[in-house]
Amino acid sequence: MSEPQIYCPQCAWRPLGTSRWVCARQMGGCNTSWNTFWTGGVCPGCSYRWEITACHACKRYSLHKDWYHWPETEQHESEHQLEAEQPSSR
Ligand SMILES: [Zn+2]
Ligand SMILES: [Zn+2]
């Protein structure tokens, strides 16, 4: 099993183990700071799931899931699923 590469989809910056994100109080958050990639974007303070993650390098926001870059093989599997979902004609 291969692990996804985690980096900014806009500038390819890779988060460090020491990188921290803050559960933004101005957006209704609890002000906890933590490494968002250890929890998949879920705040450990209030359990809020952040859909967007800010890049520390380019300061732009991207969807949290867009930071995960899976190997090519994943796409072949989903193509196969589409074929299997074809309804059988009578
Ligand atoms: Zn929070
Ligand atoms: Zn970036």
Side-chain angles (χ1 to χ4, degrees), residues 9 29 36 53 55-56 59 63 73 82-84:
T36 193
T53 297
C55 175
H56 288 202
K59 312 293 182 194
L63 286 173
T73 48
L82 275 175
E83 277 176 36

Side-chain angles (χ1 to χ4, degrees), residues 34-56:
W34 83 108
N35 187 316
T36 193
F37 293 101
W38 292 349
T39 61
V42 177
C43 171
C46 66
S47 299
Y48 182 79
R49 178 181 287 274
W50 287 91
E51 296 286 334
I52 53 169
T53 297
C55 175
H56 288 202

Side-chain angles (χ1 to χ4, degrees), residues 8-13 55-60 67:
C8 173
Q10 303 196 60
C11 76
W13 174 77
C55 175
H56 288 202
C58 68
K59 312 293 182 194
R60 284 179 286 196
W67 285 70

Side-chain angles (χ1 to χ4, degrees), residues 11-49:
C11 76
W13 174 77
R14 286 169 187 269
L16 309 171
T18 53
S19 300
R20 292 291 179 272
W21 284 259
V22 175
C23 189
R25 193 156 256 173
Q26 65 269 33
M27 290 167 78
C30 65
N31 212 36
T32 296
S33 70
W34 83 108
N35 187 316
T36 193
F37 293 101
W38 292 349
T39 61
V42 177
C43 171
C46 66
S47 299
Y48 182 79
R49 178 181 287 274

